[in-house]
Amino acid sequence: MLSFTEENYLKAIYHLSESGSKAVLTNEIAEAMSTKAASVTDMIKKLSTKNFISYEKYYGVKISRQGKSEALMIIRKHRLWETFLVEKLLFNWDEVHDIAEQLEHIQSPLLIQKLDEFLGFPKSDPHGEPIPDKNGKISMPSSMPLHDQLPGYAGSIVSVKDSDSNLLKYLNRIGATPGKKIRLLAKEEYDESLEIEVDEKRLTISKAVAQNILVAV
């Protein structure tokens, strides 16, 4: 069994490794966890001993198959709890991340199975992120940042990358939420801000916001 801190590190490594496809440097982990490199080194040793990761100096950390499976179960719990908080307890989508961070550490497979069943086996959370199934399988939708699209793009919002509450409040206010139709009308050369249309409403959003909106491709 992993400690809360070990689970948080493993989840961070999974995300940083782009779902396990690449090695992650220790300074990347330190930045993601808001801690010092020395603390990361100690945790890497612990996780490596438990065979959740492998580590080579100057190469970085690679998550193992066992580590990936464990990380996906943590992510599954997190996203199911976010869905429960929004759909059943009527929290706003910008309020649930920190609460789900606490609930994701509950060690009861039966509870999570019952929660999934109670929610009707949802495929994605309130932010549009896919929920791994009970076997750890996850279906990643084809998407890319709106900022990387060209003017003339017309499609739909798949998900939001950042869980920052201020960003989520802003997107909710302008109506740019998962499932909404969106068009990219123009890109400003000076600051890379975008002119978009959501629900027939024209808006201008910053580069930072556009990088966090993932759209269907």
Side-chain angles (χ1 to χ4, degrees):
M1 185 175 293
L2 296 172
S3 69
F4 286 11
T5 304
E6 288 172 331
E7 287 190 342
N8 287 337
Y9 266 88
L10 193 59
K11 186 175 68 169
I13 292 168
Y14 173 83
H15 285 309
L16 290 169
S17 69
E18 297 177 4
S19 305
S21 63
K22 70 181 187 71
V24 184
L25 300 177
T26 53
N27 62 344
E28 292 180 284
I29 301 171
E31 183 177 353
M33 298 299 296
S34 300
T35 190
K36 297 178 180 178
S39 298
V40 173
T41 300
D42 290 341
M43 183 56 67
I44 285 172
K45 291 176 181 176
K46 291 179 182 179
L47 293 174
S48 181
T49 299
K50 295 180 179 182
N51 298 316
F52 288 112
I53 62 168
S54 59
Y55 173 70
E56 288 184 40
K57 196 172 184 180
Y58 306 120
Y59 176 70
V61 174
K62 188 82 173 179
I63 194 165
S64 67
R65 179 177 296 181
Q66 180 183 349
K68 184 176 179 179
S69 176
E70 187 70 26
L72 283 167
M73 286 299 101
I74 300 166
I75 292 167
R76 169 175 163 80
K77 289 186 285 183
H78 182 101
R79 293 176 180 173
L80 283 172
W81 283 120
E82 285 195 334
T83 304
F84 172 76
L85 290 166
V86 169
E87 291 189 2
K88 304 302 180 181
L89 298 188
L90 306 182
F91 279 81
N92 294 324
W93 75 330
D94 57 273
E95 298 174 321
V96 296
H97 178 74
D98 289 345
I99 303 172
E101 285 280 298
Q102 300 171 55
L103 293 169
E104 71 185 25
H105 299 294
I106 293 175
Q107 300 294 330
S108 172
L110 179 59
L111 173 61
I112 301 307
Q113 178 185 327
K114 293 289 187 181
L115 178 63
D116 193 15
E117 182 179 346
F118 177 66
L119 293 170
F121 307 102
K123 300 298 183 185
S124 60
D125 70 12
H127 308 110
E129 296 283 5
I131 300 174
D133 68 16
K134 63 181 180 180
N135 299 312
K137 293 182 180 179
I138 185 168
S139 179
M140 299 297 292
S142 297
S143 64
M144 65 186 294
L146 177 62
H147 179 267
D148 296 343
Q149 291 284 8
L150 297 174
Y153 169 83
S156 60
I157 298 174
V158 173
S159 63
V160 180
K161 279 173 59 177
D162 199 332
S163 59
D164 181 85
S165 62
N166 289 323
L167 171 67
L168 296 175
K169 288 175 184 176
Y170 172 70
L171 292 177
N172 196 56
R173 190 164 64 249
I174 66 174
T177 54
K180 289 291 185 71
K181 298 296 182 183
I182 189 168
R183 292 177 59 211
L184 174 53
L185 304 176
K187 182 180 290 188
E188 176 59 50
E189 186 175 346
Y190 172 66
D191 61 359
E192 297 185 57
S193 59
L194 304 185
E195 184 182 354
I196 64 171
E197 183 179 275
V198 180
D199 282 347
E200 300 183 354
K201 181 170 62 176
R202 292 196 173 203
L203 304 157
T204 298
I205 60 174
S206 69
K207 175 183 178 181
V209 170
Q211 287 175 325
N212 280 293
I213 297 175
L214 298 183
V215 295
V217 294

